Amino acid sequence: MANVPHRSVNHPGTLTPLEPDRPSPQPLSHSPSVVPSPTPPRYPQAPPSFRPDHMHSPNLLSPSNAIRTGSPIPRMSTPPGPPVFNTPVKPAAVPFRTSPATPQPMGYSSATASSLPVSTPSYYSNGSSTGSQRDLPDVVRMEEPIAADSPYVLFSANKVLRQKKLANVASLGFGAIVSAGREISPGPQIIQRDPHRCLHCGAYSNPYTSILIGSGQWQCVICEKMNGSKGEYVAMSKDELRNYPELSLPLVDYVQTGNRRPGFVPASDSRTSAPVVLVIDECLDEPHLQHLQSSLHAFVDSLPQTTRLGIVVYGRTVSIYDFSEESVASADVISGAKSPSAESMKSLIYGTGVYLSPMHASLKVAHEIFSSLRPYTLNVPEASRDRCLGTAVEAALAIIQGPSAEMSRGVVRRAGGNSRIIVCAGGPVTYGPGSVPHSMSHPNYPYMEKTAIKWMETLGREAHRHNTVVDILCAGTCPLRVPVLQPLAKTSGGVLVLHDDFGEAFGVDLQRAATRAAGSHGLLEVRCSDDIRITQVIGPGEEAYSETYETFKSDPAVCIQMLSVEETQSFSISMENKRDIQGDHVFFQFAFHYSDVYQADVSRVITFKLPTVDSVSAYLQSVVDEAAAVLISKRTLLIAKSQKDAVDMRATVDERIKDIPLKFGSQVPKSKLYSFPKELSCLPELLFHLRRGPLLGNIIGSEDERSVLRNLFLNASFDLSLRMVAPRCLMHQEGGTFEELPAYDLSMQSDKAVILDHGTDVFIWLGAELSADEVKSAAVLAACRTLAEELTEFRFPAPRILAFKEGSSQARYFVCRLIPAHKDPPYEQEARFPQVRRLTAEQRRKLKSSFIEFDEESFCEWMRSLRVVPPEPR
């Protein structure tokens, strides 16, 4: 847009984004504090007065398991549901925390208050002025960010409807999926100085800010109030202001490294020096123990040499292993009947034993400890064996907090990131604090379960308070009483995962749990324009108390305390219009505050500007079907806490599919049917997968497994969530390539191999004709397994990878997840599964005869049963 003279100023808080025509001002001596490029060891270091002449695009890495934009990114009993935040937090005058992680507002003088300078002349609509033209401050709007998208935020639509009535249609809804993303990477988006924040609402300056370049004042896009910049934004032109990363990039990381902390000595490799304590169930039968030992040996071999390891084993007692004995497995034993007293743990920790030791000094001892484990010998059923898991976790917490932390001249070397406790469990907690009776038929079981859940939740919060994450990896066939274990993992910021056994998948998860990057002290702030209201937040967090974060005069932010900060997790934020929107756009700003694995305090700020539209068609065209489906699915699963709830939610999905064409579609002429909007062609099929898949359908029989899966889904990243809703189908082709196809049963062709990625499970199906050729099928199976491992390389939890042949009993796991499109007429099959057009008549006849008829509806049959015409596929 060309620059034209600034004509009018209605009031001090409103700016017109125009720059007056006048001679260029003289060069200014002031330079902004920007760090454009990194220097060793980790974060950029540069003089405050340095101003780069050229800025590059930000290094925005696409996380392998986080939010994606556009193209795909390479990459459970019934616990309490995730928090729902319906009202913004009331402001208070207490800062977020004393650490420098939280940006403090600039201490502006009265000369840089939230209004235009007194000396600013008045202008009138006719262009006349009481002051001279050369006295006018220039007004520019920084509206051209180098990159418009962020891999960490995905909206359900890229435009916002102005009409409140249509925008707030509950069957479709509007919102965003937000992830803290990956670790920060060196680049121009890193800023090592305090940010400029609005003194009224707390929002950050950003690429859409209007700036008086003559005085350096800037207008907040959220509350539209004026703020000072201590002269930093005084500039000669807009181009000069673009040298500030926050004014040119939609995502910036404000970083303050640990050397600002008095008394802090950074570790040489802080990321890998955070302790990991294994808490191992010793009440295992021999087959399970052998698999567990193999996984544990491989686990310690994979750990970095600087990782400090602790080993705790529990049954009826708790054994805390001592690494000071180099040639023998030695342990101190405490009772599991009650919580260890502070005195007993103090005498233990201050003794001669070494309970946390770096891997370079303790690898041999760790192997000896694992080899010394023996199977359970008493004739007691698995579910009735005494397991004091609660006491064992308390002991693990004590040794993490104890003097095993390295001391040097009275100064503690603080380990990087969160400490981790990884529980390897084979059965329920039946002894000591947090336990339940062996049998669920016990007359006092409901009360004891409620007491145990409360105790476990308190223990998890204590772990979180000490920056320790508790992951619980369960395996075997013994009932685990998931409602008791889930609160411990959830409130500490960890996960609970179920495995069939202690084999390969368990071992992979063990390694990924210990090495995945995780920050601490996380806080998410969400701010948006006054026309938008946040109605619900779903994810791994809880409403933050105003005493724990910094507040401002009129702060509209919804603040969420993050239980952990990981790229494998996300928040689903639902929003609605407060009123009909009059403006041409609305703004959204997401700010993540956390301490990263290198002990730097990070504030990651992401700002978006979305256009508003009156046209329903334009809005529907901007809808991202996958994002909308994931948001709808998470809102649905939040309510589906039990199997009965899941049945009710399937009916809710049906009503949603009927309501969307009523509001946004049209009625078919001379018919009672409604046409589903063609712009949303993928949405109904995604929701059909949701209602019949493992999340809402009847595929999973165990209530424990359903609960674990539900909790994992509600906290998962966008990519994993999408895969858990709708599987991805890949067919092996001649030459070793793979073709992506709809997840229909028409893919079950006898001469082909098919991969089905369903998030927590990956299936490899080999057709009978292909399996008959052993050499060829072995090569194809190897190629399929390689691809499956590549697709899930960074996924946590690691999925099961199961391979089977057509007609085998295990093939039912594969078949039940595919849409039964063989029931549709040929023209429907060809329209929705074009690959069948390449089959000969004989191949199509053989394919049709291979299916067993059953009652389940196809996608098209389901849509028509709801009196809705399915949309044409894209």
Side-chain angles (χ1 to χ4, degrees), residues 163-183:
Q163 300 94 330
K164 174 184 176 181
K165 184 177 180 180
L166 280 175
N168 294 350
V169 169
S171 55
L172 184 57
F174 173 75
I177 304 167
V178 185
S179 171
R182 306 189 79 176
E183 303 170 46

Side-chain angles (χ1 to χ4, degrees), residues 279-548:
V279 177
I280 304 169
D281 184 353
E282 68 176 357
C283 301
L284 303 178
D285 293 329
E286 188 166 3
H288 287 316
L289 180 61
Q290 288 177 352
H291 283 134
L292 177 58
Q293 286 175 317
S294 297
S295 296
L296 292 173
H297 285 303
F299 168 71
V300 293
D301 285 337
S302 71
L303 289 177
Q305 291 295 295
T306 54
T307 299
R308 291 182 294 147
L309 180 69
I311 300 175
V312 176
V313 175
Y314 70 94
R316 189 176 178 85
T317 59
V318 176
S319 302
I320 307 169
Y321 278 86
D322 183 359
F323 290 95
S324 63
E325 298 288 344
E326 296 184 2
S327 58
V328 65
S330 173
D332 292 283
V333 180
I334 61 175
S335 171
K338 60 181 180 179
S339 298
S341 65
E343 291 75 16
S344 64
M345 292 309 300
K346 184 176 180 179
S347 62
L348 181 74
I349 293 170
Y350 280 86
T352 58
V354 177
Y355 306 108
L356 285 176
S357 178
M359 288 310 304
H360 65 79
S362 59
L363 181 59
K364 181 182 177 182
V365 181
H367 282 303
E368 289 174 349
I369 293 171
F370 298 147
S371 298
S372 71
L373 298 177
R374 294 291 179 264
Y376 192 82
T377 57
L378 300 180
N379 187 25
V380 179
E382 273 191 303
S384 301
R385 297 171 187 175
D386 291 336
R387 294 178 172 91
C388 58
L389 185 150
T391 308
V393 172
E394 286 184 299
L397 271 175
I399 65 173
I400 288 174
Q401 301 164 31
S404 296
E406 301 172 46
M407 303 291 291
S408 177
R409 296 182 182 179
V411 179
V412 178
R413 292 181 69 188
R414 180 174 154 193
N418 279 332
S419 304
R420 288 200 178 274
I421 295 175
I422 305 177
V423 180
C424 306
V429 187
T430 54
Y431 191 68
S435 65
V436 291
H438 299 123
S439 173
M440 296 183 69
S441 61
H442 189 284
N444 210 22
Y445 189 89
Y447 171 78
M448 295 182 72
E449 182 185 53
K450 183 178 179 180
T451 304
I453 290 172
K454 183 68 176 177
W455 191 89
M456 287 293 188
E457 182 178 333
T458 303
L459 180 59
R461 294 191 183 281
E462 179 69 10
H464 180 257
R465 192 171 67 86
H466 289 93
N467 302 328
T468 301
V469 172
V470 182
D471 291 324
I472 306 177
L473 309 184
C474 307
T477 57
C478 182
L480 290 155
R481 314 287 195 265
V482 167
V484 177
L485 293 176
Q486 187 75 64
L488 172 58
K490 179 181 175 181
T491 55
S492 69
V495 297
L496 188 152
V497 185
L498 300 183
H499 298 85
D500 293 333
D501 52 46
F502 291 97
E504 182 182 1
F506 179 90
V508 173
D509 268 345
L510 197 57
Q511 296 180 28
R512 293 182 186 177
T515 58
R516 73 187 193 272
S520 58
H521 302 100
L523 182 78
L524 169 60
E525 298 176 351
V526 185
R527 294 177 176 85
C528 46
S529 296
D530 189 51
D531 292 321
I532 303 296
R533 176 191 296 117
I534 296 173
T535 59
Q536 188 180 60
V537 177
I538 303 172
E542 54 193 25
E543 188 174 6
Y545 295 104
S546 56
E547 294 81 12
T548 62

Side-chain angles (χ1 to χ4, degrees), residues 730-739 741 745-755 765-773 776-781 784 805-806 833 835-836 838-840 842-844 846-848 850:
L730 299 161
M731 179 181 285
H732 183 272
Q733 301 292 343
E734 295 295 334
T737 60
F738 288 84
E739 180 184 6
L741 298 170
D745 60 1
L746 297 174
S747 63
M748 297 168 58
Q749 298 165 21
S750 189
D751 61 338
K752 300 292 185 183
V754 179
I755 299 174
W765 180 89
L766 301 175
E769 190 177 319
L770 174 64
S771 301
D773 187 337
K776 184 177 180 181
S777 65
V780 172
L781 177 58
C784 290
K805 298 177 182 179
E806 179 182 3
F833 198 86
Q835 191 266 352
V836 298
R838 305 200 296 263
L839 302 181
T840 65
E842 178 62 19
Q843 286 175 322
R844 293 190 72 161
K846 287 175 62 177
L847 177 61
K848 183 177 180 180
S850 68

Side-chain angles (χ1 to χ4, degrees), residues 501-741:
D501 52 46
F502 291 97
E504 182 182 1
F506 179 90
V508 173
D509 268 345
L510 197 57
Q511 296 180 28
R512 293 182 186 177
T515 58
R516 73 187 193 272
S520 58
H521 302 100
L523 182 78
L524 169 60
E525 298 176 351
V526 185
R527 294 177 176 85
C528 46
S529 296
D530 189 51
D531 292 321
I532 303 296
R533 176 191 296 117
I534 296 173
T535 59
Q536 188 180 60
V537 177
I538 303 172
E542 54 193 25
E543 188 174 6
Y545 295 104
S546 56
E547 294 81 12
T548 62
Y549 63 92
E550 184 179 7
T551 56
F552 296 81
K553 294 178 183 177
S554 303
D555 195 347
V558 171
C559 297
I560 304 140
Q561 180 184 347
M562 303 171 67
L563 299 176
S564 64
V565 185
E566 302 178 23
E567 65 172 300
T568 58
Q569 298 178 337
S570 70
F571 290 90
S572 301
I573 304 173
S574 298
M575 311 176 194
E576 66 180 18
N577 289 19
K578 290 183 183 178
R579 60 186 76 87
D580 289 345
I581 301 175
Q582 303 300 321
D584 295 331
H585 47 258
V586 287
F587 293 98
F588 303 87
Q589 191 171 81
F590 307 90
F592 291 92
H593 308 284
Y594 61 95
S595 298
D596 72 359
V597 293
Y598 298 98
Q599 286 305 289
D601 290 325
V602 179
S603 291
R604 170 167 286 167
V605 181
I606 312 169
T607 309
F608 278 87
K609 172 185 176 183
L610 296 186
T612 60
V613 292
D614 290 314
S615 167
V616 172
S617 178
Y619 169 71
L620 293 178
Q621 288 175 2
S622 78
V623 172
V624 182
D625 288 14
E626 292 87 353
V630 169
L631 280 168
I632 290 171
S633 299
K634 294 207 178 192
R635 290 199 297 265
T636 303
L637 262 293
L638 182 66
I639 304 172
K641 298 179 181 180
S642 66
Q643 173 62 28
K644 181 181 180 300
D645 294 334
V647 173
D648 294 339
M649 288 301 102
R650 291 203 290 269
T652 301
V653 172
D654 293 348
E655 293 303 315
R656 192 182 298 274
I657 291 296
K658 290 193 288 187
D659 188 63
I660 290 175
L662 285 174
K663 299 295 195 302
F664 299 106
S666 59
Q667 189 170 2
V668 177
K670 300 178 181 179
S671 171
K672 293 182 179 180
L673 302 180
Y674 279 80
S675 294
F676 202 87
K678 61 182 180 180
E679 297 90 347
L680 308 177
S681 60
C682 297
L683 182 61
E685 191 170 304
L686 292 170
L687 295 182
F688 185 57
H689 276 297
L690 168 69
R691 77 183 301 280
R692 65 186 301 275
L695 293 172
L696 287 182
N698 297 315
I699 293 176
I700 295 177
S702 164
E703 197 63 33
D704 276 1
E705 191 175 354
R706 181 186 302 278
S707 175
V708 170
L709 198 66
R710 169 182 174 269
N711 278 274
L712 178 61
F713 174 73
L714 292 174
N715 296 338
S717 66
F718 168 74
D719 277 332
L720 178 56
S721 298
L722 179 60
R723 289 284 70 84
M724 292 176 72
V725 170
R728 184 184 185 190
C729 183
L730 299 161
M731 179 181 285
H732 183 272
Q733 301 292 343
E734 295 295 334
T737 60
F738 288 84
E739 180 184 6
E740 184 163 1
L741 298 170

